[in-house]
Structure formats: structure tokens, C-alpha cells
Amino acid sequence: MSLQATPTHGSNKIPATLIPGDGIGPEIVDAVIQVLNALGAPFDWDLQQGGMAGIAAGGDPLPQATLDSIRRNKLALKGPLTTPVGGGFRSVNVRLREEFHLYANLRPAHTLVPGGRFDNIDLILVRENLEGLYVAFEHYIPIGDDPHAVAISSGVNTRDGSRRIVRYAFEHALKLGRKKVTLVHKANVLKALTGVFLESGQQIAKEYEGRIACDERIVDACAMQLVLNPWQFDVIVTTNLFGDILSDLIAGLVGGLGAAPGANIGDQAAIFEAVHGSAPDIAGKGIANPTALLLAAGLMLDHVGLTTHARHLRQAIDTVLNQDNTRTSDLGGTASTGDFARAIVQRISSVG
């Protein structure tokens, strides 16, 4: 980990928690730190552990020291974290969202390498992060000698939570100059659970009439239309489970999870991440693609107001991929993780 002091201007350092994570996490985090240093991004990093590294360090995939660091800094960048199988451990990512009330999951998708099956994709999905079926109020009812004969799960959507996430989507759309927000639901069947989301969303949409257009889709129709004609969508906002599914579908339009950054936003904290897994099969081989985490770092720069840094980062990624043709193997190239990072650093330095 080449975690070094970032060049700063005066004392304007921005404290942030850095979690390298598991598998390929340390490799791609190292690449991102090199690039952020080249940009002169003034982050003051507090290095912490999570996932299997957290287990190794202190027996918990989400150590108290890591939680304390995020609570103190209110800002974090993390590599992929592995939740151990068995042993009663809950998902590390779900725990982080709940602990810091990170109600908005932001998943933009932009075409990085033109010429694929889908081109000129530019979508943003906003997913509610705390409610819905992922509250996991679940239990079994035994029948006869089968203790798991019947499985029951209850979802929870609140009017306040629905209004909050829809308002976030509209405000984000305004901030970025977007034109339309689409409410995605299943209110034709789940009339209460997703009906309250749709009804609340329509109420919020009225506040933005004349500034942002709004329409709605049933989730299965939306999935089909995203494949048939994704260009009809701009910003999509939806509930937790639907957002989880559709965000991966949308990532597939731009090349997969290796091109998909994520941001988890709350009123008191924000955590930025690559949404792909830890890929233990290629860990240590130096071939992992850091693009998703680089783009997540771009979202982090935007979040703290360093929009010029974010723009330079995205321009450098585009130039390296499409002019220099420096690409990792998953994008059809031969560059190592380090080669790709150095190419971006060179582009940033040549501009600066």
C-alpha cells in the first residue's frame, strides 16, 4: 500500500477513512491512491480494516476502530469487503448502511469504451438503501418434521423514507442538469409495499414540475425496456431490492461491474466503493481493473466539492482507455493494474 501524504494546499486537508478490503482490494486501492495523489486531492487518509482483513486483525469483519473512524471523518473510500460464510456474520455492507443511515445508493453508468453492444449510455440509478425487503424480517414456520417448511419475509417501506429517496433523486438530477426522473415500482401487485413508494414519489414530483420531468414504470417492464432502449431513461429511482437488481443490469450495459462505481450517502456520512466483489481468484496477480474504484473516487471528489479534480480524473480515464488504448485484460488489453494507474498518472501530470 503506497499510502503517502497527499499534496495539499495550506491546511485544507479533508479527513477520510480508507479501507483497502479483501482480495484485489489492496491492489486497486493502491492504484487509486497513486492517481489521487497525482491529482493533488487533499485527503488525509485514516487507514482501517474490514472484511476478512478485519477478522484477521481483531475477529470482526467490521471492527469498532473502523466504525469510529468513519463516524469521526464522515467520509470513506473502501475496496471490496468479504463477509465470512457462516459464523453468524451479517453482510458488512448492510451493516455499514444501517450504522450510518446511508439511505441513498447512487449508481451511475456511463459508456467507457465505445463500440460495444450498447453505446452512449449515460444513466443514473438511485436506490433506496435501508428499507424494503432488505430489512429482512424473516422467519420459518415448521410443519411436521420440516422446521423450514414455510418461509416468511416482511418488507417495510415508509412514506418518509420514500419521500426522502425520491427527493434526493430529483435534487441530484437538478444538480447535474438532468431532464427526467423515472419512478420504478411494482404497485400493480405489491399495492401497499411499493404503492406507498409510488404515491410518495408522485407527490414529490409535483414540487419539481417545470424543472424535471417525471414518469413511472413497473419494474419488470423497466428491465425489458432498459435492454431494448436504455436511452429513453435518464435518472431512475426505486426501492431497495429493485434497485439492487436494476443497478447490476445497468452495469451490464456499460461492460459489467468493473465499470460500476457506487456511493452510499446519508445526512451524516458518505461511503464510496467499487460495487464488484473481492475476486480472490485473481488477487495478487496484478491484473485487476481499478476503474470502478477510480470512478467511485470521482464521485467522492464531487461529494466534497472538488469537481475540477473529478473532471480531470474522468478525462484521464477516458484518454487512457480510448486514445492511449491502455486497458486491463477484462477490457481486451494487456496492461497490469500498475500499468493502468501509471498511465492515468502520466496523463494527469501532462495536463497539470
Side-chain angles (χ1 to χ4, degrees), residues 131-248:
E131 299 187 342
L133 287 165
Y134 280 21
V135 299
F137 291 158
E138 297 186 306
H139 65 279
Y140 295 103
I141 297 176
I143 297 177
D145 60 356
D146 184 354
H148 292 172
V150 179
I152 296 178
S153 181
S154 299
V156 176
N157 285 331
T158 66
R159 189 174 299 281
D160 283 348
S162 298
R163 286 171 173 165
R164 179 174 60 182
I165 193 64
V166 173
R167 188 179 302 281
Y168 179 90
F170 273 91
E171 288 296 325
H172 193 70
L174 276 178
K175 180 180 177 181
L176 297 184
R178 297 288 182 147
K179 305 300 183 185
K180 184 176 69 171
V181 172
T182 300
L183 309 170
V184 175
H185 61 92
K186 190 65 177 175
N188 58 321
V189 174
L190 300 174
K191 297 181 183 297
L193 184 64
T194 67
V196 73
F197 169 81
L198 176 60
E199 181 182 295
S200 300
Q202 290 170 333
Q203 291 170 352
I204 294 297
K206 291 179 181 178
E207 301 177 18
Y208 295 85
E209 286 182 352
R211 294 182 291 168
I212 300 285
C214 181
D215 61 4
E216 53 92 5
R217 293 287 193 285
I218 296 171
V219 62
D220 41 329
C222 181
M224 178 186 68
Q225 291 170 15
L226 276 166
V227 174
L228 291 176
N229 180 18
W231 303 277
Q232 68 184 288
F233 297 101
D234 192 357
V235 176
I236 293 172
V237 60
T238 190
T239 53
N240 204 337
L241 174 62
F242 299 158
D244 190 9
I245 296 169
L246 291 181
S247 61
D248 277 19

Side-chain angles (χ1 to χ4, degrees), residues 1 3 15-21 25 28-36 41 43-50 66 69-70 73-81 96 261-264 270-274 290-301 313:
M1 175 69 58
L3 183 59
T17 302
L18 184 69
I19 307 172
I28 62 175
V29 166
D30 183 65
V32 171
I33 295 301
Q34 292 180 45
V35 172
L36 289 175
F43 294 115
D44 184 10
W45 298 109
D46 180 11
L47 185 64
Q48 297 292 337
Q49 298 300 330
T66 302
S69 175
I70 298 171
N73 296 324
K74 306 183 188 307
L75 190 67
L77 179 69
K78 74 176 189 68
L81 301 179
L96 283 170
N264 299 282
I271 300 176
F272 299 83
E273 62 184 352
T291 299
L293 193 61
L294 283 166
L295 293 171
L299 295 175
M300 184 173 173
L301 290 166
L313 172 59

